[in-house]
Amino acid sequence: LKKVIVRGRVPFDEVGVSLSQVDLGKNGYLVLLDGRGNALYHPDSKRLLRRYDGPGRAALTTSEGHGMGRDASGQEVYWIAHRLVPEGTRVGETWTLMAVIPRHQIMALASQGTRIHLGAGLVTLLLVGSLGYGFSRRITQPIVHAAEAAHQLALGETHTRITSDHGPREIRQLAHAFNSMVAEVVHHRTDLEKLVELRTRSLQEQKERSNNLSAQLHAAFEATEEAILILRHDGVVLGANRRFGLFFGARVESLAGSTFNQWQQDFFGCFADPQSISDRWSQTVSQTARAQPEPKWQVLRPERRVLDVYASPLIAESGDSIGQLWVFRDLTHEQQLQESLEQAQKMEAI
């Protein structure tokens, strides 16, 4: 078998006739260029098979697909190029089909389209306005009534209701839903008022009981014969009774809210051995268990006293220590009686 290459010529006039029938307006036209930039079709027959140098020639060497330019007469035109790949042309090279339209023609088409759209919009607006005006009263009147009812409800008039006998189905549904909502709100409001009243009464009773208990505890706190000092974990004085002020010559009114560090020097200075008492105090504060320092603490001023001291940490429900309770009991009288008894026993023995 031999390979044979068959060549033939096809008249190109049919392509030119097809392209000339494309309507691009009065001055618009098409140009078909081969891969080397020669005009295969041009409305001006003198430019056929010649190098194209008109608007859009940049599309032959770049990837630009459209742009603005000027034709031979200096008129500003708009061009757009479409590339025909070799598979489409079947001649082994890329052809370029280019449309060239004068700018004023495009602007005229745009202005015409704008006028058409404006006219259509105006007609639509007039039609919609007419329909809206015709149905506005029927539609808006129930809505106005609903708005007025909602405003009255916001002012606290819970008896407000919307008549649901007239109007479109949606308005009747809205009125029914509104009336149901108002009834439910009134019901919940009544229940809430009862609950608030009940809670308020309960809180008042609890407050009264708490005040009574506080008064009783305060009376017991002040009436006890022991001196009491309550310190927070950071050393702030939470409370001290008048007996504490009597034992140590302190103004109880000025102690509340102060820190122990502010007056500890005066406090420890009341004892016969300030340094020893200070060490015992620090040791007791650092312990988490209850402690009763020994021996008895000797006080020299403002009066001589022998004190029995009891200390206990204040433990919260969480188990954390929140402070320290100190109780000082005066053993001076007991000590004197004990010494008198011992003296009498010695005299009797002699």
Side-chain angles (χ1 to χ4, degrees), residues 296 305-308 329-336:
K296 303 298 184 288
R305 297 179 188 273
V306 179
L307 301 180
D308 184 21
R329 190 163 68 93
D330 189 1
L331 301 178
T332 305
H333 185 64
E334 296 179 10
Q335 186 84 9
Q336 291 174 351

Side-chain angles (χ1 to χ4, degrees), residues 189-203:
R189 180 177 179 179
T190 303
D191 292 345
L192 183 60
E193 288 176 349
K194 293 180 180 179
L195 180 60
V196 170
E197 182 180 359
L198 180 62
R199 293 290 179 85
T200 302
R201 189 183 308 114
S202 177
L203 289 175

Side-chain angles (χ1 to χ4, degrees), residues 6 13 15 37 59 110 153 157 181-182 209 254-255 261 275 340:
V6 180
D13 293 343
V15 176
L153 179 63
E157 298 182 8
M181 180 195 68
V182 172
R209 288 195 297 268
S254 62
L255 295 182
N261 293 335
Q275 185 60 45
S340 298

Side-chain angles (χ1 to χ4, degrees), residues 153-283:
L153 179 63
L155 295 177
E157 298 182 8
T158 55
H159 63 277
T160 302
R161 297 293 186 274
I162 300 178
T163 304
S164 58
D165 299 334
H166 307 287
R169 180 171 58 87
E170 293 79 4
I171 297 298
R172 294 198 301 272
Q173 292 177 349
L174 174 63
H176 178 71
F178 179 85
N179 295 336
S180 300
M181 180 195 68
V182 172
E184 186 174 357
V185 168
V186 171
H187 175 70
H188 286 298
R189 180 177 179 179
T190 303
D191 292 345
L192 183 60
E193 288 176 349
K194 293 180 180 179
L195 180 60
V196 170
E197 182 180 359
L198 180 62
R199 293 290 179 85
T200 302
R201 189 183 308 114
S202 177
L203 289 175
Q204 289 177 347
E205 293 175 354
Q206 292 179 6
K207 182 179 179 181
E208 184 177 355
R209 288 195 297 268
S210 177
N211 291 338
N212 294 337
L213 179 60
S214 177
Q216 295 172 11
L217 292 176
H218 182 73
F221 182 70
E222 293 294 343
T224 182
E225 294 183 357
E226 286 79 14
I228 300 176
L229 174 66
I230 305 175
L231 298 178
R232 203 166 63 188
H233 65 89
D234 55 358
V236 175
V237 178
L238 298 179
N241 63 355
R242 296 190 180 277
R243 185 72 65 169
F244 181 85
L246 178 64
F247 283 8
F248 301 103
R251 294 182 58 189
V252 178
E253 296 79 5
S254 62
L255 295 182
S258 65
T259 60
F260 180 71
N261 293 335
Q262 294 175 346
W263 48 273
Q264 64 175 353
Q265 186 174 0
D266 295 337
F267 173 74
F268 291 132
C270 296
F271 294 94
D273 189 355
Q275 185 60 45
S276 176
I277 297 300
S278 177
D279 295 340
R280 294 179 191 175
W281 184 281
S282 300
Q283 181 181 1

Side-chain angles (χ1 to χ4, degrees), residues 68-69 75-78 101-109:
M68 299 291 296
Q75 180 179 227
E76 190 174 9
V77 297
Y78 180 80
I101 304 175
R103 183 176 181 277
H104 67 84
Q105 184 174 325
I106 294 177
M107 298 303 296
L109 292 174

